[in-house]
PDB file of all heavy atoms in Angstrom:
ATOM      1  N   GLY A  59      13.243  17.993  -9.014  1.00 80.00           N
ATOM      2  CA  GLY A  59      14.359  17.046  -8.932  1.00 80.00           C
ATOM      3  C   GLY A  59      15.153  17.148  -7.651  1.00 80.00           C
ATOM      4  O   GLY A  59      15.012  18.094  -6.870  1.00 80.00           O
ATOM      5  N   VAL A 101      11.781  12.152 -51.586  1.00 59.00           N
ATOM      6  CA  VAL A 101      12.665  13.262 -51.216  1.00 59.00           C
ATOM      7  C   VAL A 101      13.971  13.241 -51.994  1.00 59.00           C
ATOM      8  O   VAL A 101      14.644  14.267 -52.111  1.00 59.00           O
ATOM      9  CB  VAL A 101      12.957  13.266 -49.699  1.00 59.00           C
ATOM     10  CG1 VAL A 101      11.706  13.585 -48.920  1.00 59.00           C
ATOM     11  CG2 VAL A 101      13.551  11.942 -49.251  1.00 59.00           C
ATOM     12  N   THR A 104      18.588  14.884 -52.123  1.00 75.00           N
ATOM     13  CA  THR A 104      18.829  16.017 -51.229  1.00 75.00           C
ATOM     14  C   THR A 104      18.786  15.598 -49.766  1.00 75.00           C
ATOM     15  O   THR A 104      19.695  15.891 -48.994  1.00 75.00           O
ATOM     16  CB  THR A 104      17.793  17.132 -51.482  1.00 75.00           C
ATOM     17  OG1 THR A 104      17.878  17.557 -52.833  1.00 75.00           O
ATOM     18  CG2 THR A 104      18.049  18.307 -50.561  1.00 75.00           C
ATOM     19  N   THR A 125      37.304  14.774 -27.074  1.00 93.00           N
ATOM     20  CA  THR A 125      38.736  14.486 -26.963  1.00 93.00           C
ATOM     21  C   THR A 125      39.513  15.722 -26.519  1.00 93.00           C
ATOM     22  O   THR A 125      40.426  15.630 -25.685  1.00 93.00           O
ATOM     23  CB  THR A 125      39.281  13.986 -28.320  1.00 93.00           C
ATOM     24  OG1 THR A 125      38.527  12.846 -28.747  1.00 93.00           O
ATOM     25  CG2 THR A 125      40.737  13.599 -28.204  1.00 93.00           C
ATOM     26  N   TYR A 126      39.158  16.895 -27.063  1.00 92.00           N
ATOM     27  CA  TYR A 126      39.846  18.141 -26.708  1.00 92.00           C
ATOM     28  C   TYR A 126      39.721  18.446 -25.219  1.00 92.00           C
ATOM     29  O   TYR A 126      40.688  18.893 -24.579  1.00 92.00           O
ATOM     30  CB  TYR A 126      39.261  19.289 -27.524  1.00 92.00           C
ATOM     31  CG  TYR A 126      39.800  20.645 -27.139  1.00 92.00           C
ATOM     32  CD1 TYR A 126      41.065  21.060 -27.563  1.00 92.00           C
ATOM     33  CD2 TYR A 126      39.057  21.500 -26.326  1.00 92.00           C
ATOM     34  CE1 TYR A 126      41.572  22.299 -27.196  1.00 92.00           C
ATOM     35  CE2 TYR A 126      39.555  22.742 -25.958  1.00 92.00           C
ATOM     36  CZ  TYR A 126      40.810  23.145 -26.393  1.00 92.00           C
ATOM     37  OH  TYR A 126      41.305  24.367 -26.022  1.00 92.00           O
ATOM     38  N   ASP A 133      32.513   8.763 -23.758  1.00 90.00           N
ATOM     39  CA  ASP A 133      31.827  10.057 -23.645  1.00 90.00           C
ATOM     40  C   ASP A 133      31.888  10.810 -24.970  1.00 90.00           C
ATOM     41  O   ASP A 133      30.891  11.393 -25.422  1.00 90.00           O
ATOM     42  CB  ASP A 133      32.473  10.918 -22.547  1.00 90.00           C
ATOM     43  CG  ASP A 133      32.113  10.443 -21.150  1.00 90.00           C
ATOM     44  OD1 ASP A 133      31.069   9.793 -21.000  1.00 90.00           O
ATOM     45  OD2 ASP A 133      32.881  10.730 -20.213  1.00 90.00           O
ATOM     46  N   ILE A 150       9.129  21.057 -36.198  1.00 72.00           N
ATOM     47  CA  ILE A 150       7.744  21.138 -36.667  1.00 72.00           C
ATOM     48  C   ILE A 150       6.988  22.226 -35.909  1.00 72.00           C
ATOM     49  O   ILE A 150       6.226  23.003 -36.498  1.00 72.00           O
ATOM     50  CB  ILE A 150       7.049  19.769 -36.517  1.00 72.00           C
ATOM     51  CG1 ILE A 150       7.653  18.762 -37.493  1.00 72.00           C
ATOM     52  CG2 ILE A 150       5.549  19.893 -36.750  1.00 72.00           C
ATOM     53  CD1 ILE A 150       7.128  17.358 -37.341  1.00 72.00           C
ATOM     54  N   LEU A 208      18.857  -5.578 -42.605  1.00 75.00           N
ATOM     55  CA  LEU A 208      18.087  -6.769 -42.955  1.00 75.00           C
ATOM     56  C   LEU A 208      16.852  -6.889 -42.075  1.00 75.00           C
ATOM     57  O   LEU A 208      15.733  -7.121 -42.559  1.00 75.00           O
ATOM     58  CB  LEU A 208      18.964  -8.011 -42.813  1.00 75.00           C
ATOM     59  CG  LEU A 208      18.284  -9.364 -43.062  1.00 75.00           C
ATOM     60  CD1 LEU A 208      17.853  -9.463 -44.512  1.00 75.00           C
ATOM     61  CD2 LEU A 208      19.241 -10.501 -42.716  1.00 75.00           C
ATOM     62  N   PHE A 231     -15.341  -2.960 -36.603  1.00 91.00           N
ATOM     63  CA  PHE A 231     -16.259  -3.095 -35.469  1.00 91.00           C
ATOM     64  C   PHE A 231     -16.701  -1.735 -34.917  1.00 91.00           C
ATOM     65  O   PHE A 231     -17.538  -1.680 -34.009  1.00 91.00           O
ATOM     66  CB  PHE A 231     -15.601  -3.910 -34.356  1.00 91.00           C
ATOM     67  CG  PHE A 231     -15.391  -5.356 -34.721  1.00 91.00           C
ATOM     68  CD1 PHE A 231     -14.162  -5.797 -35.184  1.00 91.00           C
ATOM     69  CD2 PHE A 231     -16.414  -6.280 -34.621  1.00 91.00           C
ATOM     70  CE1 PHE A 231     -13.949  -7.126 -35.531  1.00 91.00           C
ATOM     71  CE2 PHE A 231     -16.229  -7.605 -34.955  1.00 91.00           C
ATOM     72  CZ  PHE A 231     -14.988  -8.033 -35.420  1.00 91.00           C
ATOM     73  N   PHE A 246       3.485  -3.043 -28.108  1.00 93.00           N
ATOM     74  CA  PHE A 246       4.278  -3.664 -27.039  1.00 93.00           C
ATOM     75  C   PHE A 246       4.743  -5.066 -27.436  1.00 93.00           C
ATOM     76  O   PHE A 246       5.849  -5.482 -27.070  1.00 93.00           O
ATOM     77  CB  PHE A 246       3.484  -3.713 -25.739  1.00 93.00           C
ATOM     78  CG  PHE A 246       3.331  -2.370 -25.089  1.00 93.00           C
ATOM     79  CD1 PHE A 246       2.087  -1.773 -24.973  1.00 93.00           C
ATOM     80  CD2 PHE A 246       4.435  -1.683 -24.606  1.00 93.00           C
ATOM     81  CE1 PHE A 246       1.946  -0.523 -24.385  1.00 93.00           C
ATOM     82  CE2 PHE A 246       4.301  -0.441 -24.005  1.00 93.00           C
ATOM     83  CZ  PHE A 246       3.054   0.141 -23.896  1.00 93.00           C
ATOM     84  N   GLU A 272       1.158   3.264 -42.750  1.00 83.00           N
ATOM     85  CA  GLU A 272       0.620   2.932 -44.067  1.00 83.00           C
ATOM     86  C   GLU A 272      -0.773   2.329 -43.979  1.00 83.00           C
ATOM     87  O   GLU A 272      -1.320   1.883 -44.982  1.00 83.00           O
ATOM     88  CB  GLU A 272       1.565   1.953 -44.781  1.00 83.00           C
ATOM     89  CG  GLU A 272       2.992   2.441 -44.921  1.00 83.00           C
ATOM     90  CD  GLU A 272       3.097   3.767 -45.651  1.00 83.00           C
ATOM     91  OE1 GLU A 272       2.238   4.044 -46.508  1.00 83.00           O
ATOM     92  OE2 GLU A 272       4.039   4.535 -45.369  1.00 83.00           O
ATOM     93  N   SER A 291       5.123  10.813 -22.784  1.00 82.00           N
ATOM     94  CA  SER A 291       6.199  11.668 -23.277  1.00 82.00           C
ATOM     95  C   SER A 291       6.506  12.765 -22.272  1.00 82.00           C
ATOM     96  O   SER A 291       7.674  13.125 -22.072  1.00 82.00           O
ATOM     97  CB  SER A 291       5.808  12.292 -24.621  1.00 82.00           C
ATOM     98  OG  SER A 291       5.635  11.300 -25.598  1.00 82.00           O
ATOM     99  N   PHE A 302      18.945  16.450 -14.263  1.00 76.00           N
ATOM    100  CA  PHE A 302      19.715  17.651 -14.563  1.00 76.00           C
ATOM    101  C   PHE A 302      20.274  18.253 -13.278  1.00 76.00           C
ATOM    102  O   PHE A 302      19.532  18.587 -12.352  1.00 76.00           O
ATOM    103  CB  PHE A 302      18.826  18.673 -15.274  1.00 76.00           C
ATOM    104  CG  PHE A 302      19.561  19.930 -15.674  1.00 76.00           C
ATOM    105  CD1 PHE A 302      20.391  19.936 -16.779  1.00 76.00           C
ATOM    106  CD2 PHE A 302      19.443  21.094 -14.933  1.00 76.00           C
ATOM    107  CE1 PHE A 302      21.065  21.079 -17.161  1.00 76.00           C
ATOM    108  CE2 PHE A 302      20.107  22.241 -15.295  1.00 76.00           C
ATOM    109  CZ  PHE A 302      20.929  22.241 -16.411  1.00 76.00           C
ATOM    110  N   ALA A 320      29.165  24.791 -31.946  1.00 93.00           N
ATOM    111  CA  ALA A 320      29.467  23.711 -32.895  1.00 93.00           C
ATOM    112  C   ALA A 320      28.191  23.165 -33.528  1.00 93.00           C
ATOM    113  O   ALA A 320      28.168  22.857 -34.732  1.00 93.00           O
ATOM    114  CB  ALA A 320      30.225  22.594 -32.187  1.00 93.00           C
ATOM    115  N   ALA A 362      20.226   8.895 -22.451  1.00 82.00           N
ATOM    116  CA  ALA A 362      19.660   7.928 -21.501  1.00 82.00           C
ATOM    117  C   ALA A 362      20.232   6.535 -21.727  1.00 82.00           C
ATOM    118  O   ALA A 362      20.440   5.768 -20.774  1.00 82.00           O
ATOM    119  CB  ALA A 362      18.138   7.904 -21.645  1.00 82.00           C
ATOM    120  N   ILE A 411      32.599  34.095 -58.041  1.00 65.00           N
ATOM    121  CA  ILE A 411      32.068  32.983 -57.247  1.00 65.00           C
ATOM    122  C   ILE A 411      30.593  32.770 -57.560  1.00 65.00           C
ATOM    123  O   ILE A 411      30.119  31.633 -57.697  1.00 65.00           O
ATOM    124  CB  ILE A 411      32.277  33.258 -55.741  1.00 65.00           C
ATOM    125  CG1 ILE A 411      33.769  33.242 -55.419  1.00 65.00           C
ATOM    126  CG2 ILE A 411      31.529  32.225 -54.896  1.00 65.00           C
ATOM    127  CD1 ILE A 411      34.094  33.550 -53.978  1.00 65.00           C
ATOM    128  N   ASN A 439      15.881   0.803 -61.384  1.00 76.00           N
ATOM    129  CA  ASN A 439      15.880   1.026 -59.929  1.00 76.00           C
ATOM    130  C   ASN A 439      14.760   0.248 -59.252  1.00 76.00           C
ATOM    131  O   ASN A 439      14.946  -0.322 -58.173  1.00 76.00           O
ATOM    132  CB  ASN A 439      15.726   2.514 -59.627  1.00 76.00           C
ATOM    133  CG  ASN A 439      16.979   3.299 -59.946  1.00 76.00           C
ATOM    134  OD1 ASN A 439      18.065   2.734 -60.071  1.00 76.00           O
ATOM    135  ND2 ASN A 439      16.853   4.602 -60.104  1.00 76.00           N
ATOM    136  N   MET A 443      15.260  -2.751 -56.546  1.00 78.00           N
ATOM    137  CA  MET A 443      14.632  -2.659 -55.231  1.00 78.00           C
ATOM    138  C   MET A 443      13.823  -3.918 -54.932  1.00 78.00           C
ATOM    139  O   MET A 443      13.865  -4.460 -53.821  1.00 78.00           O
ATOM    140  CB  MET A 443      13.730  -1.427 -55.179  1.00 78.00           C
ATOM    141  CG  MET A 443      13.022  -1.234 -53.833  1.00 78.00           C
ATOM    142  SD  MET A 443      14.178  -1.022 -52.460  1.00 78.00           S
ATOM    143  CE  MET A 443      14.861   0.591 -52.880  1.00 78.00           C
ATOM    144  N   VAL A 452      14.488 -13.774 -48.057  1.00 85.00           N
ATOM    145  CA  VAL A 452      15.122 -15.103 -48.116  1.00 85.00           C
ATOM    146  C   VAL A 452      16.190 -15.235 -47.032  1.00 85.00           C
ATOM    147  O   VAL A 452      16.238 -16.237 -46.299  1.00 85.00           O
ATOM    148  CB  VAL A 452      15.729 -15.354 -49.512  1.00 85.00           C
ATOM    149  CG1 VAL A 452      16.587 -16.616 -49.505  1.00 85.00           C
ATOM    150  CG2 VAL A 452      14.635 -15.459 -50.560  1.00 85.00           C
ATOM    151  N   ASN A 479      19.514 -35.647 -39.997  1.00 84.00           N
ATOM    152  CA  ASN A 479      18.194 -35.578 -40.634  1.00 84.00           C
ATOM    153  C   ASN A 479      17.421 -34.354 -40.164  1.00 84.00           C
ATOM    154  O   ASN A 479      16.667 -33.753 -40.931  1.00 84.00           O
ATOM    155  CB  ASN A 479      17.401 -36.852 -40.339  1.00 84.00           C
ATOM    156  CG  ASN A 479      17.956 -38.063 -41.076  1.00 84.00           C
ATOM    157  OD1 ASN A 479      18.588 -37.913 -42.130  1.00 84.00           O
ATOM    158  ND2 ASN A 479      17.737 -39.248 -40.538  1.00 84.00           N
ATOM    159  N   LYS A 481      18.773 -31.492 -39.355  1.00 84.00           N
ATOM    160  CA  LYS A 481      19.332 -30.381 -40.125  1.00 84.00           C
ATOM    161  C   LYS A 481      18.743 -30.324 -41.533  1.00 84.00           C
ATOM    162  O   LYS A 481      18.412 -29.248 -42.051  1.00 84.00           O
ATOM    163  CB  LYS A 481      20.858 -30.497 -40.210  1.00 84.00           C
ATOM    164  CG  LYS A 481      21.598 -30.112 -38.948  1.00 84.00           C
ATOM    165  CD  LYS A 481      23.095 -30.137 -39.200  1.00 84.00           C
ATOM    166  CE  LYS A 481      23.857 -29.641 -37.982  1.00 84.00           C
ATOM    167  NZ  LYS A 481      25.319 -29.585 -38.227  1.00 84.00           N
ATOM    168  N   ALA A 487      13.067 -26.992 -45.076  1.00 86.00           N
ATOM    169  CA  ALA A 487      11.859 -26.194 -44.838  1.00 86.00           C
ATOM    170  C   ALA A 487      12.114 -24.719 -45.142  1.00 86.00           C
ATOM    171  O   ALA A 487      11.271 -24.035 -45.736  1.00 86.00           O
ATOM    172  CB  ALA A 487      11.402 -26.360 -43.391  1.00 86.00           C
ATOM    173  N   THR A 525      22.207 -10.480 -81.748  1.00 77.00           N
ATOM    174  CA  THR A 525      21.147 -11.286 -81.122  1.00 77.00           C
ATOM    175  C   THR A 525      21.732 -12.357 -80.210  1.00 77.00           C
ATOM    176  O   THR A 525      21.257 -12.567 -79.082  1.00 77.00           O
ATOM    177  CB  THR A 525      20.264 -11.945 -82.206  1.00 77.00           C
ATOM    178  OG1 THR A 525      19.727 -10.922 -83.055  1.00 77.00           O
ATOM    179  CG2 THR A 525      19.123 -12.722 -81.561  1.00 77.00           C
ATOM    180  N   SER A 553      25.580 -23.273 -39.960  1.00 82.00           N
ATOM    181  CA  SER A 553      25.372 -24.028 -38.713  1.00 82.00           C
ATOM    182  C   SER A 553      24.239 -25.044 -38.821  1.00 82.00           C
ATOM    183  O   SER A 553      24.178 -25.985 -38.025  1.00 82.00           O
ATOM    184  CB  SER A 553      25.097 -23.072 -37.554  1.00 82.00           C
ATOM    185  OG  SER A 553      23.912 -22.339 -37.789  1.00 82.00           O
ATOM    186  N   ASN A 559      25.519 -35.263 -48.905  1.00 82.00           N
ATOM    187  CA  ASN A 559      24.559 -36.158 -49.573  1.00 82.00           C
ATOM    188  C   ASN A 559      23.116 -35.708 -49.338  1.00 82.00           C
ATOM    189  O   ASN A 559      22.287 -35.692 -50.256  1.00 82.00           O
ATOM    190  CB  ASN A 559      24.768 -37.607 -49.117  1.00 82.00           C
ATOM    191  CG  ASN A 559      24.620 -37.758 -47.612  1.00 82.00           C
ATOM    192  OD1 ASN A 559      24.848 -36.810 -46.854  1.00 82.00           O
ATOM    193  ND2 ASN A 559      24.243 -38.953 -47.170  1.00 82.00           N
ATOM    194  N   MET A 575       5.685 -26.808 -59.425  1.00 77.00           N
ATOM    195  CA  MET A 575       4.792 -25.802 -58.844  1.00 77.00           C
ATOM    196  C   MET A 575       5.210 -24.378 -59.214  1.00 77.00           C
ATOM    197  O   MET A 575       4.893 -23.429 -58.501  1.00 77.00           O
ATOM    198  CB  MET A 575       4.788 -25.957 -57.310  1.00 77.00           C
ATOM    199  CG  MET A 575       4.333 -27.314 -56.828  1.00 77.00           C
ATOM    200  SD  MET A 575       4.219 -27.403 -55.029  1.00 77.00           S
ATOM    201  CE  MET A 575       2.915 -26.230 -54.693  1.00 77.00           C
ATOM    202  N   ASP A 599      -0.783  10.299 -49.028  1.00 47.00           N
ATOM    203  CA  ASP A 599       0.439  10.782 -48.373  1.00 47.00           C
ATOM    204  C   ASP A 599       0.298  12.258 -48.024  1.00 47.00           C
ATOM    205  O   ASP A 599       0.708  13.122 -48.763  1.00 47.00           O
ATOM    206  CB  ASP A 599       1.630  10.567 -49.307  1.00 47.00           C
ATOM    207  CG  ASP A 599       2.938  10.863 -48.613  1.00 47.00           C
ATOM    208  OD1 ASP A 599       2.938  10.965 -47.381  1.00 47.00           O
ATOM    209  OD2 ASP A 599       3.963  11.013 -49.314  1.00 47.00           O
TER     210      ASP A 599
END
Side-chain angles (χ1 to χ4, degrees):
V101 293
T104 301
T125 304
Y126 174 78
D133 285 336
I150 292 175
L208 176 65
F231 292 98
F246 287 114
E272 304 303 330
S291 297
F302 182 77
I411 293 178
N439 288 342
M443 180 61 68
V452 170
N479 289 334
K481 284 186 175 183
T525 303
S553 62
N559 58 333
M575 301 185 65
D599 188 14

